[in-house]
Amino acid sequence: MCGILNFTVFKLDHNLDTSHVYSVATKTQYAGCTIYEKLILLLDYISSTYMVGFECVDEGQFWETRNEKLLEETFARYTHLISGFTDALTIFPKLKQEIVETYCIRITGATHKKR
């Protein structure tokens, strides 16, 4: 399998490391646990029926465990992190002339102190 972006880049530069070309990523954080589970089960069926050497790296760990509670906890943790970052951007706006790297360091320092 190869994502369309990876395929397009590979067509332009055949010197790329092919281990990076033949990979696909899917953003599922906002899909919810039910859709996530269905996607994993679909990938499991397709890979076991039609593919050889398929590997799945699953941050939710549902691929390996089929543990719904663990998946829900993982979703909650990532949702909390995303919400916290969004809140930090609101509470600590970027200063005029501040470069992004400095801004990120400032937010990290300020939010770390609050913990």
Side-chain angles (χ1 to χ4, degrees):
M1 287 176 37
C2 179
I4 190 67
L5 179 61
N6 292 355
F7 180 74
T8 303
V9 170
F10 185 66
K11 281 176 45 179
L12 297 173
D13 183 1
H14 292 287
N15 296 321
L16 292 176
D17 180 357
T18 57
S19 65
H20 299 294
V21 173
Y22 298 107
S23 64
V24 178
T26 303
K27 178 68 178 150
T28 55
Q29 177 65 32
Y30 301 110
C33 291
T34 303
I35 299 298
Y36 192 96
E37 289 178 31
K38 289 179 181 183
L39 178 62
I40 292 294
L41 295 174
L42 175 64
L43 283 174
D44 191 22
Y45 172 77
I46 291 170
S47 66
S48 64
T49 305
Y50 301 106
M51 297 180 183
V52 175
F54 179 82
E55 293 179 32
C56 179
V57 178
D58 178 15
E59 291 178 356
Q61 299 176 27
F62 190 73
W63 177 268
E64 299 88 350
T65 67
R66 299 303 199 260
N67 184 328
E68 292 178 9
K69 184 171 175 24
L70 177 61
L71 179 62
E72 289 169 2
E73 290 170 356
T74 302
F75 259 75
R77 184 173 53 251
Y78 281 116
T79 299
H80 179 73
L81 287 169
I82 291 168
S83 295
F85 181 70
T86 303
D87 291 345
L89 293 175
T90 303
I91 295 167
F92 303 102
K94 185 175 170 292
L95 303 173
K96 203 175 213 171
Q97 306 299 324
E98 186 173 31
I99 62 172
V100 173
E101 291 84 359
T102 305
Y103 178 49
C104 290
I105 291 168
R106 183 168 60 86
I107 290 176
T108 303
T111 55
H112 184 71
K113 286 178 189 174
K114 292 200 180 272
R115 295 182 96 206

